[in-house]
Amino acid sequence: MQNLTCCFTGCRSLPQSTIERIMLRLNDEVDNLIRQGVTHFLSGGARGFDLIAAALIVSKKEMGNDLRLDFILPCRDQDALWSEREQKLYRGLLNEADGVTYLSDTYRPGCIKRRNRYLVDHANYCIYALLHDRSGTWQTVQYARRKGVRLIGVAE
């Protein structure tokens, strides 16, 4: 069977009123993709949706699913300005990952966009939580659409 890959992209800040609905949809869509043979998942490691999706894949792996989770990170110091709680969650998930790829040693202009394009360029599917037009998530979804990646929205 062909190795099918799904990436995640979404807002860093999800309104409290929508998180539960988004998480339920995300879980259902991930289960659906697993049934279709998707075994490889890519997370950009950003706060919010990226980390929620990564945590879900870790939990699916712990339940016995034979899945691979890779983080594709824009830079090594991505979490430098995050709170201690966010850093702890982030680093814990990195430790659970099967692989981590850093696209740059330090933050520089364009590294986030480069990370987003890398995710799309290496995926067959993209699960996204889009809440704002003209955002980085919106740009990533548009890029995925142009590349022919199958898009699955979980915030509608």
Side-chain angles (χ1 to χ4, degrees), residues 61-118:
K61 289 174 58 166
E62 289 172 351
M63 290 187 290
N65 289 287
D66 186 19
L67 305 175
R68 179 176 178 87
L69 172 64
D70 286 307
F71 279 91
I72 310 302
L73 304 176
C75 54
R76 292 185 181 277
D77 59 350
Q78 169 173 266
D79 65 335
L81 301 177
W82 296 5
S83 71
E84 186 176 323
R85 185 181 69 77
E86 290 170 325
Q87 287 179 351
K88 184 176 179 181
L89 170 64
Y90 173 72
R91 293 175 184 166
L93 288 170
L94 289 182
N95 286 334
E96 295 290 333
D98 297 292
V100 179
T101 299
Y102 296 97
L103 300 179
S104 177
D105 284 331
T106 59
Y107 179 85
R108 59 185 60 163
C111 72
I112 303 294
K113 189 172 192 173
R114 182 172 170 227
R115 185 262 329 262
N116 293 344
R117 287 181 175 254
Y118 185 102

Side-chain angles (χ1 to χ4, degrees), residues 9 18 21-22 25 29 126-133 137 141 145 151-156:
T9 187
T18 65
R21 180 175 46 85
I22 289 171
R25 286 276 321 275
E29 295 299 347
C126 177
I127 296 179
Y128 66 94
L130 179 62
L131 300 174
H132 311 286
D133 287 350
T137 300
V141 169
R145 186 168 283 125
L151 291 162
I152 303 165
V154 295
E156 290 79 38

Side-chain angles (χ1 to χ4, degrees), residues 7-14 22 26 42-53 112 115-116 119 126-132 135-141 152 154-155:
C7 69
F8 301 105
T9 187
C11 297
R12 287 175 180 76
S13 178
L14 299 170
I22 289 171
L26 173 63
L42 304 175
S43 173
R47 291 183 283 189
F49 185 74
D50 286 10
L51 293 183
I52 289 169
I112 303 294
R115 185 262 329 262
N116 293 344
L119 290 167
C126 177
I127 296 179
Y128 66 94
L130 179 62
L131 300 174
H132 311 286
S135 63
T137 300
W138 181 85
Q139 291 175 358
T140 303
V141 169
I152 303 165
V154 295

Side-chain angles (χ1 to χ4, degrees), residues 21-46:
R21 180 175 46 85
I22 289 171
M23 289 176 68
L24 289 171
R25 286 276 321 275
L26 173 63
N27 183 66
D28 289 346
E29 295 299 347
V30 166
D31 284 346
N32 185 41
L33 289 179
I34 291 170
R35 284 191 296 275
Q36 293 179 51
V38 175
T39 58
H40 190 193
F41 294 86
L42 304 175
S43 173

